[in-house]
Amino acid sequence: DWAASLPERLRAANLLAQKEADIAHDAVEEMKPRYPRFAALHERAHEKGERDLQLLLRYTAQGMVAADPEMPKDKLFTWYGTIIRAAGMTPEFTAEACRAAYDAAQRLLPPEAFATAEPYLAR
């Protein structure tokens, strides 16, 4: 099953990689009106936010290719969560940013690629 579904997961990962910057940018743009003071409170806030969401998408794609939904959490999310909390980001803010990336991926990816990526993006 893993090998048979690998071409589909690789196609979806490739499309996710191609749209990664656009997805992250759209997600940050969606967050700006909700948090208008964010840029004033954090140096290069929006640029760093886009970079962070691209990293999230990259590790999500790796987990998808490996068919391991826990890989992104094990490799990145647990460690990075401590950094985000130390920077004063609330769990609610982080969840909202991840949801914005999920929504942007749904808009920007072809439906079949999103369907393949969705279980990994939803985590």
Side-chain angles (χ1 to χ4, degrees):
D1 290 342
W2 183 89
S5 64
L6 183 59
E8 178 186 329
R9 292 192 319 274
L10 285 171
R11 260 190 308 280
N14 189 38
L15 288 167
L16 187 58
Q18 290 172 17
K19 296 288 187 179
E20 176 184 280
D22 294 334
I23 292 168
H25 179 76
D26 282 12
V28 168
E29 289 299 313
E30 185 178 320
M31 296 289 290
K32 282 180 180 179
R34 297 181 200 168
Y35 297 91
R37 293 184 30 226
F38 188 70
L41 298 173
H42 300 281
E43 181 184 339
R44 296 181 41 239
H46 298 132
E47 294 88 353
K48 288 179 180 180
E50 287 187 30
R51 181 207 58 209
D52 292 349
L53 289 173
Q54 285 180 298
L55 192 59
L56 169 109
L57 293 167
R58 220 167 276 162
Y59 275 89
T60 297
Q62 287 180 17
M64 180 174 53
V65 169
D68 182 356
E70 295 301 316
M71 179 192 286
K73 181 179 131 239
D74 296 341
K75 288 185 123 190
L76 174 70
F77 302 156
T78 302
W79 165 78
Y80 199 62
T82 60
I83 293 170
I84 290 171
R85 284 188 297 280
M89 310 299 168
T90 65
E92 295 79 17
F93 175 85
T94 303
E96 241 183 287
C98 291
R99 181 61 194 200
Y102 176 97
D103 292 344
Q106 188 172 24
R107 284 191 306 275
L108 295 171
L109 291 175
E112 67 282 352
F114 181 76
T116 301
E118 194 279 333
Y120 300 90
L121 291 166
R123 296 191 59 81

